[in-house]
Amino acid sequence: MRVNLNNKVYNLFLIIALALFFSSVSKYVGADSKFRTALLKKFYIIGTGGINGVYYSLGSAIARLFNSRMEDILTISEPTNGSVSNIELLRSKEVTLALVQSDIAYDAYFGKGIFEGKPFPNLRILAALYSESVHLIVLNDSPIKTPLDLKGKQVSIGEEGSGTALNAKILLDECGIKSTDFHPKFLSLAKATDALKSGYIDAIFFTGGVPVEGFSLLSNEKPIRLISLPDYNLKIMLDGRPYFTSETILAGAYRGVTENVNTLGLRALLITTDSFESEKVETILQIIFSNSDYLTSISNMTESIDLKKALVGVDSKMLHQAAAAFYKSHGIF
Ligand code: GLU
């Protein structure tokens, strides 16, 4: 009996409390637009890369900036396997924005290479942010001196779904090394550097902005060496592939690396789809480029993110129309 009475009193109290709560909420929703937008926030997800790469730290910094500058949007950055995965996540609308390599974006848009038969014509570029270089690294005392020496070796070519893995496969193929000539390992950067340190693998491929944090950390523990791509192989890679450039990783980029290294490069792009709201494009590009010093310092890169270079390596057909308008108004398109 006592229990029942208590329950009744409790229920009555609960109903009054809820009524008071909802009446005060509706008052706020009617009167205070800040409260209303808080209830109606849109959600952006940025597809990035592994946690030891540049994409993840940069994507997270961009998300933080968006959250502090746009009241109506909640942005999170999501670690992923890298460029190829990001294309598929964007296609299936699981992410709103993504960082991807320019070569992968190009192939996806036009349905070439691994995207043969499944083009993604709705893909749109918002900005090119910085250059990425193909790194091929070994421990300093390794007998490996050229890509040809990878025959028979255990080589980490990046995670399945990474741009790195695709670059490594194409490059080795062009160097005359078939997938059966070596032992490919699909490792994250963190696992690969641990495995190289412990002698389980012989070499690591990674396509990323210089310096790649995982390699900086490794070079503090063990002397490393970067392998240059022979001119002949570079020439073959550049032929008919407009998104590739020839890059030099400068001596000193990593501890103990005393020589310049010639390799293949491309651009890291921020992409979305043609259905991304035009009104927000100008805002987010403004946020990114007016905070480029902060973003460069967070990602710890030697090359700075710069509005003047936002269209380097960008095929204008793939540019979001509101981004084109933004760059026109800044005199760079
Ligand atoms: N470019 C790399 C990839 O798509 C990722 C680079 C990074 O995480 O910084 O595989």
Side-chain angles (χ1 to χ4, degrees):
M1 188 67 184
R2 251 187 87 182
V3 173
N4 279 346
L5 184 65
N6 276 350
N7 275 351
K8 271 186 190 157
V9 171
Y10 174 77
N11 285 343
L12 192 65
F13 177 72
L14 196 68
I15 288 166
I16 292 170
L18 281 173
L20 283 173
F21 173 74
F22 281 118
S23 79
S24 62
V25 163
S26 58
K27 214 164 51 199
Y28 274 115
V29 169
D32 186 329
S33 66
K34 220 172 178 182
F35 192 83
R36 188 167 49 230
T37 48
L39 286 178
L40 299 175
K41 272 192 187 207
K42 274 194 195 155
F43 204 45
Y44 288 172
I45 302 177
I46 308 178
T48 62
I51 52 167
N52 247 2
V54 179
Y55 284 9
Y56 184 66
S57 52
L58 182 62
S60 304
I62 290 176
R64 281 196 295 278
L65 279 177
F66 286 3
N67 287 332
S68 65
R69 309 294 149 98
M70 292 189 287
E71 280 188 344
D72 52 338
I73 311 284
L74 182 64
T75 307
I76 59 161
S77 72
E78 195 63 23
T80 72
N81 282 6
S83 295
V84 178
S85 292
N86 288 347
I87 295 281
E88 296 311 335
L89 290 168
L90 196 60
R91 203 200 292 263
S92 58
K93 299 188 168 44
E94 283 164 84
V95 300
T96 331
L97 299 157
L99 292 166
V100 300
Q101 297 178 195
S102 50
D103 53 330
I104 310 290
Y106 183 94
D107 279 358
Y109 182 89
F110 291 105
K112 290 179 187 268
I114 55 158
F115 299 99
E116 177 97 49
K118 30 178 192 145
F120 186 10
N122 308 98
L123 183 158
R124 291 292 181 273
I125 298 173
L126 294 178
L129 297 177
Y130 63 93
S131 291
E132 294 186 83
S133 298
V134 174
H135 292 64
L136 172 55
I137 80 147
V138 295
L139 293 182
N140 194 33
D141 55 7
S142 163
I144 299 168
K145 305 276 187 240
T146 78
L148 277 182
D149 298 331
L150 293 175
K151 281 191 178 167
K153 303 288 192 219
Q154 312 275 342
V155 184
S156 170
I157 61 169
E159 292 182 278
E160 304 255 23
S162 64
T164 298
L166 209 61
N167 292 155
K169 282 183 199 158
I170 297 172
L171 202 112
L172 289 176
D173 194 52
E174 293 285 15
C175 289
I177 302 174
K178 292 191 286 298
S179 57
T180 46
D181 290 339
F182 70 107
H183 305 284
K185 302 273 172 254
F186 295 94
L187 301 179
S188 68
L189 183 61
K191 285 199 178 128
T193 50
D194 272 352
L196 187 74
K197 207 166 52 187
S198 327
Y200 293 120
I201 60 170
D202 303 294
I204 305 176
F205 272 101
F206 190 77
T207 304
V210 179
V212 173
E213 192 195 1
F215 293 152
S216 301
L217 296 173
L218 177 62
S219 69
N220 288 335
E221 292 182 53
K222 282 227 166 179
I224 61 168
R225 182 155 47 77
L226 275 87
I227 309 284
S228 268
L229 293 182
D231 285 352
Y232 169 77
N233 298 116
L234 256 178
K235 225 181 246 155
I236 291 179
M237 289 299 290
L238 293 171
D239 189 35
R241 297 183 176 109
Y243 36 76
F244 282 146
T245 52
S246 132
E247 294 283 331
T248 304
I249 300 174
L250 295 175
Y254 299 96
R255 189 190 200 134
V257 173
T258 52
E259 281 173 19
N260 288 351
V261 175
N262 299 325
T263 188
L264 196 66
L266 41 94
R267 301 284 288 166
L269 308 175
L270 179 65
I271 63 164
T272 184
T273 63
D274 55 357
S275 57
F276 186 80
E277 41 195 350
S278 290
E279 327 67 87
K280 279 285 180 243
V281 169
E282 186 186 347
T283 312
I284 70 173
L285 290 178
Q286 193 63 47
I287 293 174
I288 289 175
F289 289 110
S290 59
N291 289 283
S292 47
D293 288 348
Y294 164 72
L295 292 175
T296 305
S297 71
I298 283 289
S299 47
N300 202 23
M301 280 180 305
T302 39
E303 181 193 346
S304 46
I305 292 173
D306 183 352
L307 174 61
K308 289 196 279 307
K309 293 189 289 175
L311 294 179
V312 172
V314 170
D315 185 322
S316 56
K317 279 196 282 304
M318 298 166 64
L319 197 59
H320 192 289
Q321 57 168 13
F326 174 84
Y327 294 121
K328 260 185 203 142
S329 73
H330 284 80
I332 54 163
F333 182 61

